[in-house]
Amino acid sequence: MKKKLLTLFVREVAASLEKEGHYGTAHVYRSTANSFEKYIAGECACSGNRIRCEKREVTMYSLSPGLLKRYEEWLRLRGLSWDTVGTYLHTLRATYNRGVEAGIAPYVPRLFTGVFTGRASERKRALDVKDVRSIFTGDTGGLSPELERARAFLELMLRFQGMPFVDLAHLRKVDLKGDLLICRRQKTGTELCVKLMPQARQLIERYRSREESSPYLLDILTPTSSDREAFDDYRRCLRKLNFNLSRLPGLMGMEEVKVSSYTAKH
């Protein structure tokens, strides 16, 4: 029986996840497959250093601790954060476990023990109180509408108990009930109830969706006909938000501060 290529199986899992509507997870699996394919294709030059690349096909049977460790080192030499490295290797481990269950990969004890498969933020994402105050009240000499919009969404996420952007973007008009915002987390389905303060109400009014046919509370996502289009629209909005947020500190003389949509969660 011909042994299945590792990256082929990763892409098969991604396709299955997408059919189930798990577009975000499917995207991670495809990114992992793309990265590993570059590694085995021999992309060895990394910031002036060199590491031996495989330059060969890797099947579900040829995974080894040494190969995984070399891949981890290759990722780091390319300048990837430990968070990204951990995500790729965690995805490979999940794929391998699926392969073992399906009978297309041998069980190798402690195969992934020597590589990092977790999360370890390398930089402080949480903002001090003074940094938050500076971002929301500092003199910027006049922000563009896009930067004002990004700053407003960050403030709403902070006021809504560190709400992730995915939840903010998917808030619905029916979630607003008088002085309360009652919604469910996109990822976990956990109910969240927040009492709206006047500042939050003002921001909601400023950026609420004026399109009658839209179910969304805020003017972030465009109503689409398919889940796939909705996911692509969300990712586009997230990239745009993070780009604009990254520009804010520099305009306020706070170049050492890093701001993104993840800041609200810390």
Side-chain angles (χ1 to χ4, degrees), residues 154-249:
L154 177 62
E155 182 173 351
L156 282 174
M157 288 188 285
L158 288 167
R159 290 188 180 278
F160 294 161
Q161 302 178 8
M163 176 179 285
F165 181 65
V166 65
D167 291 335
L168 185 76
H170 286 87
L171 287 176
R172 294 179 175 263
K173 294 172 182 176
V174 296
D175 295 335
L176 190 59
K177 298 176 174 62
D179 291 334
L180 297 178
L181 181 70
I182 304 175
C183 63
R184 291 192 177 276
R185 302 283 195 187
Q186 290 289 310
K187 185 174 182 180
T188 64
T190 305
E191 184 176 89
L192 174 68
C193 181
V194 181
K195 182 176 177 60
L196 294 182
M197 302 304 288
Q199 300 92 329
R201 275 196 168 278
Q202 291 172 8
L203 292 174
I204 288 175
E205 178 58 28
R206 185 183 307 168
Y207 294 104
R208 69 179 177 85
S209 174
R210 263 79 178 173
E211 189 174 340
E212 290 187 6
S213 63
S214 174
Y216 300 120
L217 176 64
L218 299 172
D219 184 23
I220 298 176
L221 300 179
T222 303
T224 57
S225 58
S226 73
D227 291 340
R228 177 74 230 189
E229 290 175 346
F231 174 72
D232 291 340
D233 186 35
Y234 162 72
R235 285 191 56 80
R236 177 186 60 78
C237 292
L238 178 61
R239 285 194 299 269
K240 186 175 182 179
L241 175 70
N242 281 327
F243 172 73
N244 286 326
L245 287 177
S246 70
R247 298 167 59 195
L248 282 177

Side-chain angles (χ1 to χ4, degrees), residues 35-177:
S35 170
F36 197 78
E37 284 172 351
K38 288 179 181 178
Y39 169 62
I40 62 176
E43 289 196 10
C44 303
C46 312
S47 303
N49 298 300
R50 286 190 172 272
I51 180 171
R52 184 170 69 84
C53 295
E54 303 306 316
K55 293 187 178 179
R56 62 183 173 91
E57 292 185 338
V58 177
T59 70
M60 297 295 291
Y61 271 78
S62 57
L63 273 178
S64 69
L67 185 155
L68 292 168
K69 191 63 181 179
R70 291 191 295 274
Y71 175 53
E72 179 188 67
E73 293 171 354
W74 180 81
L75 290 170
R76 288 295 288 167
L77 285 173
R78 290 174 67 87
L80 274 68
S81 69
W82 277 115
D83 275 350
T84 302
V85 172
T87 296
Y88 286 163
L89 287 164
H90 174 84
T91 303
L92 288 182
R93 185 179 66 182
T95 303
Y96 164 75
N97 289 337
R98 284 175 179 254
V100 172
E101 292 179 0
I104 61 173
Y107 173 66
V108 180
R110 302 173 63 83
L111 179 60
F112 286 80
T113 300
V115 293
F116 182 69
T117 58
R119 292 188 63 82
S121 184
E122 292 184 302
R123 71 186 185 201
K124 179 184 167 189
R125 285 175 174 165
L127 295 180
D128 294 330
V129 174
K130 64 179 180 64
D131 292 333
V132 173
R133 187 178 295 113
S134 296
I135 288 175
F136 295 143
T137 64
D139 181 12
T140 62
L143 291 177
S144 68
E146 285 299 319
L147 290 179
E148 281 285 9
R149 179 183 173 90
R151 184 164 68 169
F153 289 157
L154 177 62
E155 182 173 351
L156 282 174
M157 288 188 285
L158 288 167
R159 290 188 180 278
F160 294 161
Q161 302 178 8
M163 176 179 285
F165 181 65
V166 65
D167 291 335
L168 185 76
H170 286 87
L171 287 176
R172 294 179 175 263
K173 294 172 182 176
V174 296
D175 295 335
L176 190 59
K177 298 176 174 62

